[in-house]
Amino acid sequence: MRMRSGVLPVFWVWVLAALPAVACQADVVTRLPTKEKVLALTFDGCETVTPSYVDESIAAYLAREKIPFTLFASGKFARRNRERLAELAALPFVELENHSDSHHLHMERLSRAQQQGEVIGNEAPLAAITGRKPRFFRFPGGYYDGAALKAVEDLGYRVVHWSFASGDPDRHLSAERLYRGVVEQSRPGGILIFHINGRGYQTGAALPRIVETLRQRGYRFVRLDELL
Ligand SMILES: [Zn+2]
């Protein structure tokens, strides 16, 4: 059977043009691929210059209540908090992932070699804690461009950000406003973001109510790797 010329070739040109972009570069993940009432709690363990430690008002609560969560640690934070992170990562409901080595706030301004160095430099500290290579990456401050994204994805990572900012690094945000903001903006498949390095000022105070209310509304919590 002969194909009519003109129609199909145009279609195939379009398909071939579209394929590489789809195959080589995914978008930054900002929600889980589900319509079910599922949420991912994620916490950033950032350290740039000032020494930062695991916020026990958050970590102890999550561990005690066995609530699944994902912690994105920078290299400095991972090295400084190695013992505590090892205890947490040993829990089956805790996932530890890559938040760059030095937490350079604008990775999009670095060269490709430097960008990949930021990712690879944190693999050994994290692997020393978890025994495996991390799978997910989060850009410091959420700043990136297409080239930075590709540099990270070429190393085999999926880049995971968040559905909406909780705003917890704001000293002026009360626990009540943090609670209401998160509960009101949560939707099925949402990825929530907080800070577990002492900069989530009211997170430890607000988190139990956030978890309780969302569970009452039918939500359950998952690690990122359960759905990505
Ligand atoms: Zn950070």
Side-chain angles (χ1 to χ4, degrees):
M1 194 169 82
R2 285 175 62 88
M3 288 184 272
R4 266 174 37 199
S5 61
V7 179
L8 219 53
V10 170
F11 172 73
W12 280 109
V13 164
W14 179 84
V15 166
L16 291 173
L19 263 180
V22 173
C24 296
Q25 196 162 0
D27 282 332
V28 169
V29 177
T30 56
R31 61 182 310 279
L32 301 168
T34 180
K35 292 192 171 87
E36 288 178 36
K37 284 194 154 185
V38 162
L39 293 165
L41 288 172
T42 72
F43 297 85
D44 287 3
C46 323
E47 179 175 329
T48 311
V49 179
T50 315
S52 302
Y53 299 91
V54 172
D55 183 339
E56 286 303 330
S57 69
I58 299 168
Y61 162 75
L62 293 168
R64 189 176 63 239
E65 299 294 323
K66 298 185 171 57
I67 299 163
F69 69 96
T70 302
L71 199 165
F72 284 92
S74 75
K76 285 185 189 174
F77 188 82
R79 290 182 192 93
R80 191 178 305 285
N81 296 274
R82 183 183 162 149
E83 283 180 22
R84 183 58 176 133
L85 290 178
E87 288 171 1
L88 292 171
L91 301 170
F93 49 90
V94 178
E95 186 180 27
L96 187 62
E97 297 293 343
N98 194 338
H99 191 36
S100 84
D101 194 1
S102 74
H103 202 261
H104 189 290
L105 199 53
H106 285 283
M107 276 183 62
E108 78 280 9
R109 295 177 188 167
L110 302 177
S111 69
R112 178 180 165 90
Q114 288 171 321
Q115 288 164 347
Q116 294 197 326
E118 279 291 329
V119 180
I120 294 165
N122 193 17
E123 287 179 352
L126 293 178
I129 294 168
T130 63
R132 64 162 179 85
K133 186 177 173 269
R135 299 163 272 225
F136 302 121
F137 183 83
R138 176 172 283 170
F139 283 102
Y143 296 107
Y144 69 98
D145 61 10
L149 178 58
K150 183 158 182 1
V152 175
E153 289 182 341
D154 284 351
L155 295 172
Y157 283 83
R158 288 198 78 180
V159 175
V160 180
H161 283 181
W162 49 89
S163 301
F164 60 90
S166 68
D168 71 340
D170 179 354
R171 284 182 187 276
H172 305 292
L173 185 70
S174 68
E176 177 64 22
R177 274 181 55 215
L178 175 61
Y179 160 76
R180 270 192 281 126
V182 170
V183 163
E184 283 165 14
Q185 293 176 86
S186 291
R187 303 278 181 277
I191 299 173
L192 311 186
I193 179 176
F194 303 94
H195 289 77
I196 197 164
N197 60 337
R199 285 187 64 239
Y201 298 106
Q202 297 297 328
T203 305
L207 195 59
R209 269 183 81 200
I210 289 171
V211 167
E212 214 173 291
T213 299
L214 289 171
R215 278 179 168 169
Q216 282 167 3
R217 295 183 182 181
Y219 284 96
R220 68 184 175 91
F221 300 96
V222 294
R223 308 188 325 186
L224 291 173
D225 66 347
E226 291 177 52
L227 282 169
L228 292 179

